[in-house]
Amino acid sequence: MAAENKMVSIYIMGKQYEVPYGVTIMKAMEYAGYRFIRGCGCRGGFCGACGTVYRKPDSFRLKVGLACATMVEDGMHLTQIPFYPANRASYKLEELSPSLGTLLQHYPEVTRCLGCNQCTRICPQELSVMDYIAAAQRGDIEKTAHQSFDCIMCGLCASRCPAEIVQYNVGILARRLYGRHIAPRAAHLAERVGEIKAGKFNDELSRLMQMSKEELQRRYEARDIEQ
Amino acid sequence: MTSEEMTRKVKELSGQNPYLCMQCGLCSASCTGIGVMDLLPRQVMRFLQLGKEEILKNRSIWMCTTCLICTARCPRGIDIARVMEALRTINLRKGNDILAPEDVPAELLAEIPQMALTSGFRKLSA
Amino acid sequence: MGIPYFPGCTLHVKAKGLDDSTRATLAALGLELTELPEWTCCGTAFPLAQDNYMGMVASARILAKAAKEGDGRLVTVCSFCYNVLKRVNFALKNNDEARTKLNAYLEENYNGELRVLHPLELLRDDLGFDSLKTRVDRKLKGMKVACYYGCMLSRPAKEMEFGEPENPALMEEFVKAVGAEPVDFPYKTKCCGSYQVLNNYDLVAGRVKDILKAARVRDSEVIITSCPLCQFNLDWLQDRFADEDKSFSKIPVLYFTQLLGIALEISVAKLGLDNHYVDPKPLLQAG
């Protein structure tokens, strides 16, 4: 019982609050009276909306995490950086060529990278951000796409970059170029889409739509699951 | 920035003593960027000796390609390229630069080896 | 396991011919290169302000990682990469403040133990030019070659140790070894204008015209270099010069490794000769 009632002191934007031990930063902030209109999304560590920078009292190092997935600790200083007003190029993907020139035309600032590695250190997804920017700088779109694949676009990398590079937007351009222009086409997918368009599954779909909830539930539970 | 501050800062950033310069002009005669400079490297050195702060606003310091030909030839052993870089650095650290990514034409960006951007931004962009 | 090799960003796409021809020719001569597993841009330009250690971090990290390969050497061919890696390595070895500050920043300690080598040095020291002579075909006999070092290979002389700052001779020795004839070329270490191509066309065009003219005066049939930016500046502008002046005659600009590849009769497809503005293919018929 005592452990459950334990409180810790945290500092949100410099102001001290007493909040329950063992809750996430996001819950602690709500406990302290903050109400999220922005900077909060899935609450499950996937959407990247609640990037937060914090520091523990015994170190000068800045750390980061998602507010919904990081536990508060006693003496923690924190602020959310849910959005960063960083450069975002607009383009029509189908008109672009998957080339170094395209990357440089949209984000010439990638060549300003100093190699300081702060982006990699701060990434809450533990991506090798500096390495995928290095790959972008040399025009290796495939590598940039693969190495940035788990990016959740929280923007913390851009907040730390002394060269004002927007790593996450470079990453998504590379993934789009890769997906649209480089990755091999999946023949079976095109075939299946063709079948759907041709109405091959219409009868089956309409049967499902007329089923009772109980019957749907029964079928759902009895379905084959890929292991 | 007063002229004393400028001289002190240039000495500190470049590690060079501008008063060693004897105004022989070999640097100017050798310089890569000479055709597009308003003040020649020798004159830059002279302005520095005289403590004229307008040298910080001068176009010539941005025309340098850091090819080190002046440094290799200076009979007084001054690393003139470092002096030029010091004058650029004072500007860059205040946010004064002459090259922004958006200034480079798109068609050139498509053609150019990216090392030109990397080195250009390092020398000419804040 | 070959010698650790840092290709550099530009060699991945824009100067792929330099990368391909370097790997293919050195491998053919028994000098296998192995690309570093993970690398970033070297920073290209060595910072000249005394307190600018930030400008050295990228190179320092590349060197520290390369040292872990355990070979004691790092080979790089692009003149910019070679210049900045060698100078940062020199700083790490000889400048206490640089070493302390950079090591506080890196993920591992490194004190400048590596030898940063250019393929020309490998050819001279590990293979030997006499040995190279016996390996090449007579294809290049009589070809007049202008060796263009640019500003990056030989300066500053004390740190680069690449010969005389304004009159290095290594590339000429190489040209002789592959059976061609180096011309006397006073412009060999004059700068091409470098990154000023970004926003200073007049500066670069003026320098390039002078350099090309100096090569032409001595009847050079080809200019060779190891710098992708020199190659670009010297090559790219020639179409425009030819439009402006009908009497202008173009001269191909090759990487020295491409010339080596031709001498070794390596298949043209492996040498990246298709990506030049001035077509170098007629040279192949010369021999």
Side-chain angles (χ1 to χ4, degrees), chain A residues 100-101 113-118 121 130-131 134 137-140 143 147 162, chain C residues 9 12-14 35 37-41 54-55 57-58 61 65 105-107:
Chain A
L100 170 67
C113 175
L114 290 160
C116 72
N117 206 31
Q118 290 303 308
R121 281 200 193 164
M130 182 177 73
D131 289 332
Q137 194 173 346
R138 75 184 78 131
D140 192 338
K143 185 168 180 181
Q147 288 203 338
Chain C
C9 303
H12 191 82
V13 178
K14 293 283 175 187
E35 183 174 335
E38 195 69 69
W39 50 273
T40 63
C41 168
M54 198 56 174
V57 168
R61 183 179 288 106
K65 280 189 184 167
Y105 220 87
L106 297 180
E107 292 77 20

Side-chain angles (χ1 to χ4, degrees), chain B residues 97-115:
Chain B
D97 61 10
I98 61 150
L99 181 67
E102 56 273 23
D103 295 342
V104 185
E107 55 280 16
L108 190 59
L109 285 174
E111 288 292 310
I112 207 163
Q114 63 271 49
M115 61 198 288

